[in-house]
Amino acid sequence: MEGRDTIFALSSGAPPAAIAIIRLSGPQAESAAEALSGVLPPERRAGLRRLRNPDNAELLDEALVLRFAAERSVTGEPLVELHCHGGRAVVAAVLAALERLPGLRPAQPGEFTRRALDNGRMELNAVEGLSDLLHAETEAQRRAAMAMYGGAFTARIETFQTRTLAAAAQVEAALDFADEGDVEDGDALGAARAILAALLHDMDLELAAPPAERLRDGIRLVIAGPVNSGKSTLLNRLAGWEAAIVTDVEGTTRDRIEVPVAIGGTAWLLTDTAGFRDAGADVVERIGMDRAREAIEAADLLLWLGEPDAVPRDDAVLVLPRMDRPDVFPRRCDVAISAVTGEGMDALLALMAHRAAALLPAERAYLLSARQRMELGAARDALTSACNMHDPLIVAEEVREALAAFDRLTGRASTEHMLDSLFGGFCIGK
């Protein structure tokens, strides 16, 4: 800890608020807090103190002060919290006083959590879970983030590591003792392959689960169909506000409109698209139709408002829109609606929820991020290669590659670039 800066930041919500928590972490956290409050209370016990400006003893606030020793703090280094009144002027005055103290500086985004990782108080998957928890907007997102933050995935990886090490022991036995006749080379490698084959099956199940991005960013629902078929009206009804311009003029929507919403506890990314028409489209409309086709291909769920015979994907939901209008005639569809009156919308929402259930993981399960899937896939590929090799030296090297990937998953071997990207998404005082 020697030579490391002491950092400070507002760790609660932006003022004004009832309480503002200002956190200090680092080797000078306690001395800096003493400079403002005088004698600190006993460790992990709140004490009421008057905070004064160290320059002129001016009273800044009356606050609760808590301190934590390095071995019992969330960052793994001395930490102090100042629970102040939450007015803007109070917070600004206390932060300004701290910034004038030698050896202190404002924290960077996520720096408290970064120090917790560096000091072994958290592991990387828990950090990713915490990041998702901070950004969670739906109950499903919160549950998945808590599962990751609570260590469910790391515990799974640790079982994978243990089983890989068991296979590695068999490979090392083949390498070290085969010449002495104590262990049959083929028997040892066969035992290793048996362990790895069962392990690969379980790893494939992990990789087959839906990705985190679908829950985090929302299920991509695309509304498509011919011009003037009610796409924008439906988007607005689902979004709950006038996100798209609606007129009787054909071709009003000329580009994709994306709206993130939460419906029934599930995150969705709603996309309105330019309408399709066979003739008479100008250059802008043609570009819009090209982008609509791209959106249709990338959609997790497509609501098609056109004729059934023209549906662009077999898995699309056929929607008969504008059923409140006398000029709309019945046709083959999965659901008939009126986005204006609301008729049929409950049936559409139920159908969307049913489709979402198949796209998202089971309740309370964690989800793997792109980084986690990549590293787990790298481990799987290395172990697959190990199963197909006959030279014990090559098998041992592939097993070591898999163990290195497991270490990268838990943060024991990680790159600064990846960590900088991850912690940059945190709030300042976290």
Side-chain angles (χ1 to χ4, degrees), residues 156 158-168 195-196 198-199 202:
R156 186 70 164 151
E158 288 172 350
T159 66
F160 290 169
Q161 286 177 309
T162 299
R163 294 162 70 181
T164 303
L165 287 169
I195 294 171
L196 295 180
L199 174 57
D202 291 344

Side-chain angles (χ1 to χ4, degrees), residues 114-426:
R114 176 67 175 269
R115 293 192 176 194
L117 177 68
D118 291 343
N119 294 324
R121 305 296 289 181
M122 294 182 69
E123 51 86 22
L124 186 55
N125 293 313
V127 171
E128 291 198 41
L130 178 58
S131 177
D132 289 342
L133 189 62
L134 294 174
H135 294 93
E137 295 184 359
T138 70
E139 181 64 11
Q141 290 171 339
R142 182 195 65 79
R143 284 199 213 87
M146 279 301 301
M148 183 63 70
Y149 177 56
F153 178 58
T154 295
R156 186 70 164 151
I157 292 303
E158 288 172 350
T159 66
F160 290 169
Q161 286 177 309
T162 299
R163 294 162 70 181
T164 303
L165 287 169
Q170 294 291 335
V171 177
E172 292 299 325
L175 286 169
D176 295 342
F177 304 116
D179 291 340
E180 301 177 15
D182 294 323
V183 178
E184 290 293 332
D185 178 39
D187 290 345
L189 287 181
R193 289 193 185 96
I195 294 171
L196 295 180
L199 174 57
L200 285 168
H201 173 74
D202 291 344
M203 293 173 68
D204 285 339
L205 291 178
E206 289 286 335
L207 289 167
E213 288 74 20
R214 188 172 282 158
L215 181 63
R216 182 189 303 130
D217 301 333
I219 297 173
R220 298 187 65 89
L221 182 145
V222 173
I223 305 171
V227 295
N228 205 28
S229 59
K231 299 182 298 296
S232 297
T233 304
L234 177 55
L235 175 85
N236 292 342
R237 183 80 186 200
L238 290 172
W241 60 287
E242 297 296 312
I245 297 173
V246 177
T247 73
D248 290 331
V249 178
E250 291 188 352
T252 298
T253 301
R254 295 191 166 209
D255 201 355
R256 290 185 297 191
I257 298 173
E258 295 187 340
V259 183
V261 299
I263 302 174
T266 299
W268 297 83
L269 183 63
L270 309 180
T271 303
D272 186 14
T273 58
F276 291 99
R277 69 163 114 201
D278 296 329
D282 58 32
V283 63
V284 177
E285 282 186 287
R286 288 196 294 271
I287 294 173
M289 286 189 285
D290 288 340
R291 293 183 177 179
R293 293 185 185 95
E294 294 173 358
I296 289 171
E297 290 179 4
D300 295 317
L301 179 60
L302 173 64
L303 302 186
W304 177 250
L305 276 60
E307 293 293 331
D309 294 342
V311 63
R313 282 176 45 168
D314 293 338
D315 61 348
V317 174
L318 300 178
V319 179
L320 174 61
R322 298 177 169 180
M323 62 181 297
D324 57 302
R325 292 173 46 154
D327 57 338
V328 173
F329 301 99
R331 65 174 184 236
R332 180 169 61 88
C333 65
D334 296 308
V335 60
I337 66 165
S338 168
V340 174
T341 67
E343 189 175 359
M345 288 302 299
D346 287 344
L348 176 60
L349 292 174
L351 195 155
M352 289 168 52
H354 177 73
R355 291 288 189 95
L359 295 170
L360 297 175
E363 192 170 306
R364 300 187 183 279
Y366 53 78
L367 296 94
L368 303 188
S369 67
R371 181 196 74 86
Q372 291 163 334
R373 296 175 69 84
M374 180 185 70
E375 297 295 358
L376 188 58
R380 187 265 314 273
D381 292 344
L383 294 180
T384 299
S385 179
C387 283
N388 295 327
M389 297 296 172
H390 299 284
D391 186 335
L393 283 172
I394 299 177
V395 175
E397 180 59 29
E398 294 291 356
V399 170
R400 280 191 286 271
E401 285 292 328
L403 289 170
F406 289 142
D407 282 343
R408 291 192 297 271
L409 269 170
T410 57
R412 296 189 182 97
S414 52
T415 64
E416 289 298 310
H417 177 75
M418 183 277 294
L419 291 175
D420 288 343
S421 176
L422 171 62
F423 287 112
F426 278 63

Side-chain angles (χ1 to χ4, degrees), residues 6-8 22-41 47-54 60-61 63-68 78-84 94 97-104:
T6 295
I7 57 174
F8 66 90
I22 296 173
R23 178 184 285 178
L24 301 84
S25 182
Q28 299 183 58
E30 293 186 358
S31 61
E34 285 178 343
L36 271 69
S37 68
V39 178
L40 298 180
L48 184 63
R49 298 290 187 270
R50 290 187 174 185
L51 304 184
R52 296 184 180 274
N53 189 329
L60 301 177
D61 192 24
L64 288 176
V65 179
L66 294 95
R67 68 182 180 91
F68 303 87
L79 185 141
V80 177
E81 290 183 351
L82 308 176
H83 293 231
C84 308
V94 175
L98 290 171
E99 192 165 9
R100 289 193 294 271
L101 294 175
L104 269 69

